[in-house]
Amino acid sequence: MRGVLFALAALAALSSPALAQEPPKNVVLVTIDGLRWEELFRGADPDLVRDAETRARYVDVPDRAQALAPFLLGFAQTGALIGNRDAGSCALVSNDFWFSYPGYAEMLGGRPNPRVRYNAAIQNDDVTVLERLIRRPEFADQVRVFAEWNAVPAIVNTERSGIPVSLPPDYEAPHDPQVMTAAREVLADLPRVTWINLGGTDTNAHAGRYPDYLASASAADAFLSELWTSIETNPRTAGRTTLIVTTDHGRGASARNRWRGHGSGRWRGIVVPGLRHVGSDAVWIAARGPGIGGGSYGMENCATVSQVAATMLRSIDLDEERQSDMAPALDVFATAP
Ligand SMILES: [Zn+2]
């Protein structure tokens, strides 16, 4: 009997040699917490920069946006880049809260979860796309998360899902450099599904440190470039890996320092106007990888971060894991992935 099975397996392998030899597809999601679309597409806001060093680096330059995040901006040519409202492109979070946990729950669940109305590290009752994947035998050891925020194990419900989450070993020191160091260690043997959660941008914004917020955005952009070079120079992942980059919320406008905060002001079912940061539901979404190009979303048909989950699935040819209540994949696949 065993001999027959071996013979059948050998025959199956012979009849589809391409399938047997092709390495599988991979997806990497990188989130840059609370990085405003305003900085990504316009660069540093001159009204918020006071010190000479920051002015020289980010303001008194030929192209402010290019000075801040040149790699990410390049997605407009090499993939898809959605959310530049100055050009009529729109991306939104569709949850009611406009802060982190609801944003990540929506992004990974494929729909807003109205029960998530807090940032506390309470186990997510929703099943994320990461958990749907790790339940599949071929992904059992192929889903990894590198997170700067200690609520992330709860967001992916590590207790239930078993998804390994690496956190900064020294939580008192800046988190992003530690997250990048940990992620670099797996670059040579990239898991099939990886989420890298960066957040110096949000921490520095809340603290009102605009130069540090800009520096965190620049560092994230440099890391993305390094990550992509590593992916594209490794024969196992080159041409077979999709990189999706987005954020969990926007921030308020520059006037009266509202840029520091974010949130809809919704609290216990009512909106508290003083807590509301208008426009912090506005985000951006970037993707590049096999078949990705275009992505036309205007102000009347905004893309949402809900669509990230199904986009991740499509990029690794696993549409079948998309549940009926999940938002559809972003319309960014110019050709089949
Ligand atoms: Zn956040």
Side-chain angles (χ1 to χ4, degrees):
M1 186 61 193
R2 187 181 280 182
V4 173
L5 283 179
F6 273 132
L8 281 174
L11 202 66
L14 271 177
S15 61
S16 55
L19 221 82
Q21 285 163 14
E22 265 187 30
K25 289 188 175 155
N26 320 289
V27 62
V28 181
L29 171 67
V30 179
T31 50
I32 306 175
D33 202 302
L35 173 60
R36 294 196 305 172
W37 72 267
E38 289 93 332
E39 274 79 21
L40 178 59
F41 295 104
R42 297 173 181 169
D45 183 335
D47 293 341
L48 297 177
V49 178
R50 280 163 199 93
D51 68 287
E53 195 185 318
T54 307
R55 279 205 87 83
R57 184 172 174 192
Y58 293 113
V59 177
D60 299 328
V61 292
D63 186 327
R64 285 176 192 155
Q66 282 293 333
L68 186 70
F71 180 75
L72 205 39
L73 287 177
F75 281 46
Q77 284 79 46
T78 56
L81 183 57
I82 305 162
N84 183 0
R85 293 186 170 220
D86 293 334
S89 176
C90 177
L92 284 173
V93 294
S94 54
N95 68 74
D96 285 338
F97 302 98
W98 314 351
F99 53 82
S100 293
Y101 195 152
Y104 294 123
E106 174 185 346
M107 188 187 299
L108 297 167
R111 58 186 171 81
N113 179 349
R115 296 175 302 283
V116 176
R117 52 183 68 197
Y118 38 70
N119 261 345
I122 300 168
Q123 297 296 320
N124 192 351
D125 65 356
D126 209 353
V127 178
T128 66
V129 70
L130 304 178
E131 185 170 350
R132 292 193 190 286
L133 289 169
I134 204 170
R135 284 175 179 176
R136 295 174 70 98
E138 74 271 31
F139 284 89
D141 59 351
Q142 292 293 316
V143 180
R144 289 286 303 270
V145 177
F146 299 89
E148 70 89 26
W149 188 31
N150 59 9
V152 166
I155 295 172
V156 300
N157 201 328
T158 287
E159 277 179 14
R160 183 187 62 215
S161 67
I163 295 169
V165 180
S166 303
L167 290 167
D170 179 1
Y171 213 71
E172 301 307 310
H175 301 172
D176 283 2
Q178 300 180 72
V179 172
M180 293 172 189
T181 298
R184 279 187 190 105
E185 281 167 19
V186 302
L187 280 183
D189 190 23
L190 192 72
R192 291 197 57 199
V193 181
T194 310
W195 173 27
I196 301 172
N197 158 259
L198 302 175
T201 39
D202 194 66
T203 304
N204 287 314
H206 281 297
R209 299 187 293 249
Y210 196 65
D212 293 341
Y213 164 76
L214 298 175
S216 292
S218 275
D221 188 71
F223 175 73
L224 288 169
S225 174
E226 175 192 342
L227 174 66
W228 187 251
T229 300
S230 163
I231 286 168
E232 288 299 286
T233 52
N234 183 335
R236 191 178 65 80
T237 51
R240 310 195 59 74
T241 304
T242 296
L243 175 58
I244 300 171
V245 192
T246 186
T247 189
D248 54 327
H249 54 78
R251 320 197 74 82
S254 301
R256 290 177 286 119
N257 257 350
R258 297 288 285 173
W259 69 275
R260 294 175 56 169
H262 57 90
S264 66
R266 199 170 295 271
W267 186 73
R268 299 198 174 181
I270 56 160
V271 172
V272 182
L275 296 178
R276 188 171 179 85
H277 291 257
V278 174
S280 53
D281 56 338
V283 296
W284 49 270
I285 308 173
R288 71 190 282 183
I292 293 181
S296 183
Y297 288 91
M299 296 306 295
E300 44 324 290
N301 68 326
C302 298
T304 73
V305 298
S306 296
Q307 295 178 268
V308 167
T311 307
M312 292 175 73
L313 293 174
R314 175 157 300 174
S315 68
I316 51 173
D317 302 326
L318 277 172
D319 277 342
E320 68 197 70
E321 285 290 352
R322 183 187 153 213
Q323 310 300 299
S324 56
D325 61 354
M326 285 168 62
L330 288 163
D331 187 13
V332 292
F333 295 94
T335 58

